[in-house]
Amino acid sequence: MEASPKDAQALVPPGAVSGRLLSMQPDAVLCKLCARGSDDAFAVLHARYSQQVFAFVFHLLNRPGSVDDAEDLTQEILGKAFSNMSNRREE
């Protein structure tokens, strides 16, 4: 049974998860940590999803030689995601 985002706050006290253990956490827990300002949690999410976001953006651009544009847009998308998580209100 997977923890819901609402349960994530109860599961992870501030500063309790770091290092390799962080990479084993579910997305809900990592997002909760990002909302608290954890750069390490965001790095795990970035590593987990950056290739998929890049592939999707590259597909949408649908033109030869768009690798640089796709990389730039991927970084912009992931940067906005982090900012929005950091500005997100605790529920």
Side-chain angles (χ1 to χ4, degrees), residues 4-66:
S4 71
K6 194 171 189 176
D7 297 333
Q9 186 174 6
L11 293 174
V12 184
V17 180
S18 62
R20 285 189 298 162
L21 292 177
L22 198 56
S23 65
M24 296 188 296
Q25 298 302 313
D27 292 347
V29 172
L30 293 171
C31 288
K32 189 63 84 171
L33 291 169
C34 284
R36 294 179 185 168
S38 172
D39 291 335
D40 293 335
F42 185 73
V44 172
L45 287 170
H46 185 281
R48 212 175 266 182
Y49 292 105
S50 61
Q51 286 183 326
Q52 292 170 322
V53 172
F54 172 81
F56 180 69
V57 170
F58 186 76
H59 171 74
L60 287 178
L61 292 174
N62 194 24
R63 64 177 196 262
S66 60

Side-chain angles (χ1 to χ4, degrees), residues 56-77:
F56 180 69
V57 170
F58 186 76
H59 171 74
L60 287 178
L61 292 174
N62 194 24
R63 64 177 196 262
S66 60
V67 172
D68 291 337
D69 292 337
E71 287 173 349
D72 291 343
L73 286 170
T74 298
Q75 291 306 313
E76 189 173 327
I77 289 165

